C-alpha cells in the first residue's frame, strides 16, 4: 500500500476524533449545551466539518480502486457486508446504545425503539458513515463494471470520468432531493475523487505534481473567498473547496512522517477507533460538559482516544507486506 495513504488514513482519523471531541461546542449539534462556550473550538469544528468526511470517504474510494479490480461484484458485496454492516449492528446494539441508555442521553431511552430505528438507518449517531459507505461501495461497484465495459467501446474513459464528476457534484449540491439517500449523494463525489487519485496517480509526478498543487491551492483560495463574501451558495463552494483540498493533500509527500510507528498503528486501527470513540464522548458530555473546554478536549481526544485505540488495536495488522483494504 502507498505509504502516503497509510499516513493520510492516520491523519483522517485524528481529524475525525478531534471533531468528535469538540462537537459539544458546535451550535448545530444541540444534544447537549454547555454553559462555557468556546468560539475557538466552534470555528475549528466548522473547518473540520468541511474537510473530515470528504477525506475519510476519499480514502475508501482510493482503496476501492484495488478491491474493485480484485473481486467480483458478488464477492465484493459479501466482503462489505461482513466488513461494514456486521460491525454496524454490533457497535450500535452492544456498544453505542448501552452507553447512551446508561447515561440517559436525550432521545435515547428505549432500547427496542433504538434497535428498530437503527435497522433502517435512523438515530445511528456516527454510524451513519457505515451505511453510507456500504451504499457507495455497491454503487461504485456497478460504476466500475460500466467503465470496464465502456473501455472496450468507443467512448473515451477520461471524458466519461469528467461527466461522472460533474454529475456527482450536482448530486452533492442538490443532495437534499435524494431523501433517505442524501448522504450517499452528498459524499459520492469525494469517494470518486479518491478513486481517481489512485487511477491517475501516474500523473502526479515531478513538475506535474507542482502544477496540480498550485492549481488546487488557487481553487481553494478563490472558492473560500467567494464563500466568505457570500457570492456562492455554501454547498457549491464547500464541494469545490473539499475537492481541491483532496487533490492537495494527496499530492503532499509526507516523507519521513510515513515512517513514524505510531502513525502506522493509528492507521491500521482507524476503523475501530472511529467505531468505538464517538460514544465515549457522551461520558464527558454527561458529567463534565460545563468544565473548561480544554479539559473536555483532553478527556475526549486524549483519554477516550487512547481507550478507543487500545480496544481497536490488533497487532496482526502490522505484519510486513500485508495490505488491508477498507
Amino acid at each position: 500500500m502507498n505509504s502516503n495513504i497509510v499516513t493520510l488514513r492516520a491523519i483522517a482519523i485524528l481529524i475525525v476524533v478531534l471533531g468528535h471531541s469538540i462537537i459539544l461546542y458546535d451550535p448545530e449539534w444541540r444534544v447537549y449545551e454547555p454553559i462555557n462556550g468556546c468560539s475557538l473550538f466552534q470555528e475549528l469544528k466548522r473547518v473540520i466539518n468541511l474537510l473530515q468526511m470528504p477525506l475519510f470517504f476519499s480514502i475508501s474510494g482510493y482503496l476501492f480502486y484495488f478491491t474493485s479490480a480484485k473481486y467480483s461484484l458478488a464477492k465484493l458485496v459479501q466482503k462489505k457486508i461482513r466488513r461494514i454492516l456486521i460491525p454496524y449492528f454490533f457497535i450500535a446494539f452492544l456498544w453505542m446504545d448501552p452507553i447512551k441508555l446508561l447515561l440517559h442521553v436525550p432521545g435515547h431511552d428505549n432500547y427496542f425503539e433504538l434497535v428498530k430505528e437503527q435497522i433502517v438507518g435512523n438515530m445511528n449517531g456516527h454510524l451513519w458513515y457505515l451505511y453510507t459507505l456500504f451504499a457507495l461501495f455497491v454503487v461504485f461497484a456497478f460504476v466500475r463494471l460500466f467503465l470496464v465495459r465502456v473501455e472496450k467501446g468507443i467512448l473515451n474513459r477520461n471524458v466519461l470520468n469528467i461527466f461522472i464528476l460533474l454529475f456527482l457534484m450536482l448530486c452533492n449540491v442538490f443532495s437534499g432531493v435524494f431523501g433517505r439517500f442524501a448522504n450517499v449523494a452528498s459524499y459520492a463525489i469525494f469517494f470518486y475523487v479518491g478513486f481517481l487519485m489512485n487511477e491517475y496517480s501516474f500523473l502526479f509526478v515531478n513538475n506535474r505534481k507542482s502544477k496540480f498543487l498550485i492549481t488546487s491551492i488557487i481553487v481553494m483560495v478563490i472558492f473560500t473567498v467567494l464563500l466568505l463574501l457570500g457570492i456562492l451558495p455554501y454547498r457549491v463552494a464547500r464541494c469545490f473547496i473539499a475537492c481541491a483540498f483532496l487533490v492537495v493533500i494527496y499530492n503532499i509527500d509526507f516523507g519521513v512522517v510515513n515512517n513514524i510507528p505510531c502513525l502506522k498503528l493509528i492507521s491500521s486501527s482507524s476503523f475501530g477507533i472511529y467505531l468505538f470513540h464517538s460514544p465515549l464522548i457522551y461520558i464527558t458530555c454527561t458529567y463534565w460538559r460545563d468544565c473548561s473546554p480544554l479539559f473536555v478536549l483532553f478527556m475526549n481526544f486524549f483519554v477516550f482516544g487512547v481507550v478507543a485505540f487500545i480496544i481497536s488495536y490488533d497487532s496482526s495488522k502490522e505484519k510486513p507486506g500485508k495490505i488491508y483494504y477498507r
Side-chain angles (χ1 to χ4, degrees):
M1 185 191 297
N2 186 322
S3 58
N4 256 21
I5 292 301
V6 174
T7 301
L8 270 181
R9 191 163 59 182
I11 292 172
I13 190 58
L14 289 173
I15 292 174
V16 169
V17 170
L18 177 60
H20 287 164
S21 297
I22 59 176
I23 196 172
L24 182 62
Y25 305 102
D26 185 351
E28 296 182 3
W29 191 48
R30 296 174 185 169
V31 179
Y32 288 100
E33 293 185 9
I35 293 177
N36 300 313
C38 182
S39 57
L40 174 61
F41 286 174
Q42 180 178 326
E43 294 304 317
L44 177 59
K45 188 66 173 69
R46 286 181 180 174
V47 175
I48 290 174
N49 287 344
L50 183 66
L51 306 175
Q52 64 174 355
M53 297 317 295
L55 178 56
F56 226 47
F57 278 109
S58 74
I59 292 172
S60 293
Y62 186 98
L63 298 178
F64 176 73
Y65 181 84
F66 297 119
T67 55
S68 62
K70 187 176 180 180
Y71 301 107
S72 66
L73 176 60
K75 184 67 174 178
L76 180 65
V77 172
Q78 181 184 357
K79 286 178 68 66
K80 295 310 172 186
I81 289 174
R82 190 167 61 247
R83 172 67 171 153
I84 298 175
L85 293 188
I86 291 178
Y88 171 90
F89 293 116
F90 176 84
I91 295 296
F93 302 157
L94 301 178
W95 179 255
M96 182 178 72
D97 289 346
I99 289 175
K100 289 184 176 181
L101 286 166
L102 287 170
L103 296 173
H104 303 289
V105 174
H108 296 75
D109 52 5
N110 187 312
Y111 180 79
F112 295 103
E113 183 68 21
L114 288 175
V115 169
K116 185 183 73 173
E117 288 295 314
Q118 288 159 3
I119 288 175
V120 297
N122 295 329
M123 297 183 69
N124 52 5
H126 69 301
L127 296 180
W128 69 269
Y129 166 70
L130 297 192
Y131 258 15
T132 304
L133 185 61
F134 178 78
L136 288 174
F137 275 125
V138 173
V139 168
F140 282 101
F142 283 103
V143 171
R144 179 65 184 256
L145 287 177
F146 169 73
L147 290 174
V148 168
R149 292 193 176 187
V150 165
E151 283 180 335
K152 301 175 183 178
I154 60 174
L155 292 176
N156 184 279
R157 174 68 174 268
N158 297 330
V159 173
L160 265 177
N161 282 331
I162 292 173
F163 277 110
I164 290 173
L165 283 173
L166 291 174
F167 173 75
L168 293 179
M169 283 185 178
L170 289 175
C171 289
N172 175 278
V173 173
F174 300 103
S175 59
V177 303
F178 290 88
R180 295 182 65 86
F181 299 99
N183 283 331
V184 178
S186 183
Y187 290 101
I189 176 67
F190 309 121
F191 187 96
Y192 200 59
V193 166
F195 180 90
L196 294 180
M197 292 305 296
N198 196 337
E199 182 176 14
Y200 290 99
S201 58
F202 64 92
L203 292 176
F204 305 108
V205 293
N206 303 327
N207 61 327
R208 284 183 176 180
K209 179 182 288 190
S210 299
K211 292 179 180 178
F212 276 111
L213 277 170
I214 293 171
T215 302
S216 299
I217 291 172
I218 291 174
V219 170
M220 284 181 65
V221 171
I222 290 175
F223 278 90
T224 300
V225 171
L226 293 176
L227 176 62
L228 294 174
L229 293 176
I231 297 175
L232 277 181
Y234 175 72
R235 297 193 65 86
V236 174
R238 184 180 67 175
C239 182
F240 278 93
I241 292 170
C243 287
F245 164 76
L246 293 177
V247 175
V248 169
I249 200 165
Y250 273 90
N251 281 283
I252 293 176
D253 184 1
F254 292 99
V256 295
V257 177
N258 290 330
N259 298 318
I260 297 177
C262 69
L263 286 181
K264 293 181 179 179
L265 294 176
I266 292 171
S267 178
S268 66
S269 304
S270 60
F271 191 57
I273 293 172
Y274 182 89
L275 296 181
F276 288 106
H277 176 261
S278 185
L280 293 173
I281 70 168
Y282 287 93
I283 299 174
T284 306
C285 293
T286 300
Y287 297 109
W288 306 304
R289 63 178 176 271
D290 294 325
C291 292
S292 163
L294 290 178
F295 176 79
V296 171
L297 174 63
F298 173 78
M299 290 299 302
N300 287 340
F301 186 80
F302 294 101
V303 176
F304 293 140
V306 169
V307 170
F309 170 76
I310 292 173
I311 297 173
S312 308
Y313 177 67
D314 181 358
S315 60
S316 66
K317 293 182 180 181
E318 297 307 311
K319 292 180 180 179
K322 200 165 186 178
I323 296 179
Y324 290 85
Y325 305 106
R326 187 173 297 285

